[in-house]
Amino acid sequence: MPGYISLLCRKLIAELREDKFRFSGFQLRLFNEVATILLFAIVFLVVLKNTLDWIWGVAGLLAFAIIIMTAVKVVKSFREKK
């Protein structure tokens, strides 16, 4: 899976250099935020090992994902107003 994501990113960079925009700025921002959420989840899996901490970790991960996605939508609406 990591190899696939790396190839996808390389392909996107090559397309952007050729002025081919397959994704909108909002879609690219979401791609970036999903990577952030995955990084956060991986750290949770490594740090939290017992069941009780894992439940709190999942709740924290969901809260973090909601906060990130809400921030993305707020920034999008703020930029659309300008």
Side-chain angles (χ1 to χ4, degrees):
M1 182 79 152
Y4 173 74
I5 294 172
S6 176
L7 290 174
L8 176 66
C9 289
R10 287 178 191 234
K11 185 175 180 182
L12 285 173
I13 290 170
E15 288 177 2
L16 290 172
R17 287 183 181 155
E18 296 172 0
D19 290 333
K20 295 179 184 175
F21 301 105
R22 182 172 25 153
F23 297 110
S24 68
F26 182 72
Q27 289 171 325
L28 290 173
R29 184 175 295 123
L30 283 179
F31 183 75
N32 183 41
E33 298 307 331
V34 168
T36 303
I37 292 170
L38 287 175
L39 176 65
F40 197 75
I42 290 168
V43 171
F44 262 152
L45 286 174
V46 170
V47 173
L48 305 174
K49 294 183 180 165
N50 66 27
T51 306
L52 184 61
D53 286 339
W54 185 81
I55 292 170
W56 284 108
V58 169
L61 177 63
L62 289 174
F64 181 70
I66 290 169
I67 290 169
I68 290 286
M69 292 305 162
T70 303
V72 167
K73 287 185 179 187
V74 167
V75 168
K76 181 181 179 185
S77 66
F78 179 73
R79 288 187 179 190
E80 287 177 349
K81 287 181 182 178
K82 284 188 172 184

